[in-house]
């Protein structure tokens, strides 16, 4: 690392999508020296295992309605640990600045005059595109990438019909975080916003983990796809067309191979 690790500082670190090999070298180094690591649920044990032996590791995440630490409690923990002279890591899945309440934590640290630094990570949308084998900005088909959430968080609205109209364009690739399970209403809103039903769509579940899975289709058939385990990302747009075709033809080839095997028995 170019700069030395500072005590009494909070490092806001991205853990990447799950595979420890996709951590940055800087994140890895910080994990090995941090005194306190406050992490979200999405961070797997294989990454926490890279922490030094004396690190205090605290799960401050909350998933699926389970009771976790509140945002003020997380802020207070970061501030108290930094004031006590600890090197603190606030470890978040993917990139800490993408749908991660990072700005609120920075505000709290600034208010408490604690120094901080962001260490970026590979965000799930990019890991999902890599898993699918697609370039989100294939210049022949896409001039923009829209990173959006379909989740209604406290105080933040899910994209309204009007939003989808400005976001859903055929020259854009949509990367939808927290897509939920109501793909029928997502499909209907995107169709109503003007996208055609044959725009390619993919759902990537648990990208960059050992149980990663990918479902491919078109926007029109989005609701017919089988339910995949969370966390998942939905990708929609013509930029993923070849990758979707490749994935579908691989599926057909493996189904045919399976059928041949059964028939040969
Ligand atoms: N800061 C994170 C996003 C946090 S929001 C990042 O940059 O990736 C949580 C959402 O991210 C999940 O609901 C899901 O949509 C997505 N996500 C996180 N990890 C994922 C993974 N390994 N595979 C697919 N989606 C993932």
């Amino acid at each position: 690392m170019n700069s030395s690790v500072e005590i009494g500082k909070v490092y806001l670190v991205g853990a990447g999508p799950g595979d420890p090999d996709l951590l940055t070298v800087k994140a890895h180094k910080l994990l090995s020296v941090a005194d306190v690591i406050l992490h979200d649920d999405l961070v797997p044990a294989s990454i926490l295992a890279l922490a030094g032996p004396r690190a205090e590791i605290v799960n401050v995440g909350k998933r699926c309605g389970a009771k976790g630490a509140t945002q003020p409690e997380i802020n207070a923990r970061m501030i108290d640990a930094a004031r006590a002279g600890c090197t603190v890591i606030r470890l978040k899945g993917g990139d800490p600045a993408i749908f991660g309440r990072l700005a609120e934590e920075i505000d709290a640290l600034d208010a408490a005059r604690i120094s901080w630094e962001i260490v970026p990570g590979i965000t799930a949308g990019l890991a999902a595109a890599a898993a699918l084998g697609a370039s989100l900005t294939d210049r022949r088909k896409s001039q923009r990438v829209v990173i959006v959430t379909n989740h209604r968080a406290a105080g933040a609205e899910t994209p309204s019909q009007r939003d989808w109209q400005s976001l859903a364009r055929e020259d854009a690739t949509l990367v939808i975080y927290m897509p939920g399970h109501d793909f029928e209403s997502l499909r209907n809103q995107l169709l109503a916003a003007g996208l055609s039903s044959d725009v390619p769509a993919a759902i990537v579940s648990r990208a960059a983990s050992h149980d990663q899975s990918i479902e491919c289709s078109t926007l029109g058939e989005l609701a017919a796809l089988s339910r995949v385990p969370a966390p998942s990302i939905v990708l929609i747009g013509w930029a993923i067309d070849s990758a979707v075709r490749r994935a579908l033809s691989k599926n057909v080839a493996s189904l045919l191979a399976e059928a041949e095997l059964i028939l040969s028995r």
Side-chain angles (χ1 to χ4, degrees):
M1 210 177 306
N2 293 335
S3 52
S4 57
V5 177
E6 289 175 43
I7 58 165
K9 181 167 174 176
V10 176
Y11 292 87
L12 304 150
V13 178
D19 180 352
D21 282 354
L22 294 180
L23 268 179
T24 61
V25 174
K26 185 163 186 172
H28 189 175
K29 284 184 179 168
L30 283 168
L31 277 169
S32 65
V33 298
D35 302 304
V36 177
I37 299 170
L38 306 171
H39 70 92
D40 285 346
D41 289 304
L42 282 176
V43 179
S46 52
I47 286 179
L48 297 173
L50 301 171
R54 284 187 305 278
E56 183 194 351
I57 301 176
V58 186
N59 181 352
V60 292
K62 46 176 175 292
R63 288 204 77 192
C64 303
K67 172 119 180 62
T70 62
Q71 193 59 54
E73 282 165 0
I74 296 171
N75 296 347
R77 278 196 104 122
M78 287 192 301
I79 291 164
D80 290 349
R83 281 194 178 139
C86 296
T87 300
V88 183
I89 292 188
R90 174 71 179 102
L91 189 62
K92 295 164 183 275
D95 183 90
I98 300 288
F99 301 127
R101 300 194 183 185
L102 183 74
E104 291 159 57
E105 295 182 1
I106 287 174
D107 286 349
L109 293 171
D110 277 344
R113 297 177 188 275
I114 303 289
S115 69
W116 52 266
E117 181 180 332
I118 297 174
V119 179
I122 296 177
T123 190
L126 298 185
L132 181 63
S135 163
L136 300 178
T137 57
D138 179 340
R139 65 181 180 145
R140 297 162 299 182
K141 292 164 185 163
S142 168
Q143 272 68 57
R144 64 196 79 206
V145 173
V146 177
I147 292 180
V148 64
T149 170
N150 195 35
H151 177 68
R152 190 190 297 269
E157 288 298 305
T158 193
S160 66
Q161 195 59 52
R162 204 160 118 250
D163 285 335
W164 283 125
Q165 243 136 32
S166 63
L167 301 176
R169 301 169 39 140
E170 299 234 347
D171 67 348
T173 312
L174 291 176
V175 182
I176 306 176
Y177 286 69
M178 294 173 261
H181 293 294
D182 188 0
F183 290 144
E184 195 172 340
S185 105
L186 179 62
R187 175 200 63 189
N188 292 344
Q189 292 191 71
L190 290 172
L191 291 177
L195 286 189
S196 62
S197 61
D198 55 352
V199 176
I203 306 172
V204 183
S205 159
R206 301 187 175 172
S209 68
H210 60 91
D211 52 354
Q212 161 183 301
S213 64
I214 302 175
E215 298 278 332
C216 290
S217 187
T218 58
L219 176 58
E221 296 297 319
L222 189 64
L225 288 180
S226 38
R227 205 171 158 138
V228 295
S232 67
I233 288 272
V234 171
L235 302 173
I236 295 175
W238 288 108
I240 66 167
D241 192 28
S242 327
V244 163
R245 284 171 196 275
R246 209 181 306 121
L248 288 173
S249 63
K250 260 193 215 159
N251 285 354
V252 171
S254 70
L255 281 176
L256 284 176
E258 233 173 80
E260 264 173 35
L261 197 70
I262 292 169
L263 288 174
S264 69
R265 276 183 197 148

